[in-house]
Amino acid sequence: MNTRHALRSLRERTHTRLLGGDEPDPRFTLANERTYLAWIRTSLALLGGAIAVEAFTQQTFSPEARRLMVDCLLILAGLLSLGSALRWLNVERALRHRRPLPLARIIPLLSLGCAGTALLLTWYL
């Protein structure tokens, strides 16, 4: 019983420290969560693309070109995954404190990263 109470107390302190504010409408929290999951799916797709480039383009690209494309995709997948978690947290805080939603900084990152990787692909094809 004491362990359960201690865990609940720890969870409440962590919740207050990370998010604070008032509990928002659950629909907004769930929408924020769905958006986060969409970003994570995109990150996983980039990760799968990196694996596919490495596995299936051995005769198409030189080892250096292939390595550069795989590295770009892997870095982009990692940054997108991290950025989506930070985005979820910032939006959740804004909802709880009734502030305007922050701009999504990961959208330009994703756009530039994908465009750069596409340019590398066309350069080496």
Side-chain angles (χ1 to χ4, degrees):
M1 189 81 167
N2 284 337
T3 306
R4 187 180 304 168
H5 179 68
L7 286 174
R8 183 180 297 138
S9 176
L10 176 65
R11 188 178 334 132
E12 288 171 2
R13 284 193 315 264
T14 303
H15 182 268
T16 302
R17 189 175 302 137
L18 277 178
L19 300 171
D22 300 323
E23 193 71 29
D25 185 335
R27 293 173 292 179
F28 298 132
T29 297
L30 293 173
N32 187 28
E33 211 171 280
R34 283 190 302 274
T35 303
Y36 166 73
L37 293 172
W39 286 114
I40 289 297
R41 282 191 302 271
T42 303
S43 176
L44 287 171
L46 290 168
L47 181 62
I51 293 168
V53 167
E54 180 61 32
F56 301 120
T57 63
Q58 306 246 337
Q59 281 74 32
T60 307
F61 300 115
S62 68
E64 298 83 21
R66 193 173 64 249
R67 181 68 186 186
L68 181 61
M69 283 182 274
V70 167
D71 287 347
C72 286
L73 289 170
L74 289 175
I75 289 169
L76 192 57
L79 289 174
L80 186 59
S81 181
L82 178 64
S84 65
L86 294 174
R87 168 90 177 143
W88 171 85
L89 186 62
N90 289 333
V91 168
E92 193 66 25
R93 281 183 187 147
L95 288 171
R96 290 173 177 274
H97 293 279
R98 298 188 185 342
R99 292 190 311 242
L101 296 181
L103 290 175
R105 295 184 199 121
I106 56 178
I107 292 174
L109 169 75
L110 181 62
S111 299
L112 290 172
C114 287
T117 305
L119 285 173
L120 282 173
L121 267 169
T122 56
W123 178 268
Y124 286 106
L125 277 179

